[in-house]
Amino acid sequence: LLILEKEYVTVGGGDGSCGVLAYISFASTTTRSQVEQAAQTLLHLPILTTGLWGDGESSTVSLLTLATSSYEQSESKTSSCSLVIVPQANLISKVKQGGKSIQYHGQINKEKGE
């Protein structure tokens, strides 16, 4: 990953590593409790498969469940699960003029969003 166009960071990268890349945006009316609820949802949503996708046998689990399981099974007590959050301003927008333009209204300001 490229952070602020200055620094590269690597996440995961080994057998058994897992991760979720989430694009998020918040409206200017977003409360702290709504942000916390969004974080809880990302951690608890069962969207990761434990086997081959579509094999009919694997179950889906949450990132938190997989990270906890990985940690408990690791001799070094580490987990190789990652959650990468990417701010994406265009998720809060309105399509105008029959799809010919986009207006960005009601976004949270940068300082509050950080």
Side-chain angles (χ1 to χ4, degrees), residues 36-105:
E36 289 170 0
Q37 181 61 46
Q40 289 294 323
T41 299
L42 282 173
L43 289 175
H44 292 278
L45 198 62
I47 57 173
L48 300 169
T49 58
T50 56
L52 297 175
W53 182 256
D55 66 4
E57 297 178 16
S58 26
S59 61
T60 56
V61 296
S62 69
L63 183 63
L64 185 59
T65 299
L66 203 53
T68 301
S69 173
S70 172
Y71 175 83
E72 289 172 351
Q73 293 175 7
S74 170
E75 290 181 21
S76 63
K77 295 297 180 198
T78 60
S79 175
S80 58
C81 294
S82 302
L83 172 59
V84 178
I85 306 258
V86 179
Q88 195 68 33
N90 66 354
L91 295 177
I92 304 278
S93 61
K94 289 185 181 183
V95 177
K96 299 284 187 172
Q97 299 176 358
K100 294 181 181 178
S101 69
I102 297 176
Q103 289 184 341
Y104 302 101
H105 293 290

Side-chain angles (χ1 to χ4, degrees), residues 16-39:
S17 65
C18 66
V20 171
L21 176 64
Y23 294 92
I24 63 167
S25 185
F26 292 107
S28 60
T29 57
T30 302
T31 65
R32 182 173 184 84
S33 107
Q34 289 171 319
V35 171
E36 289 170 0
Q37 181 61 46

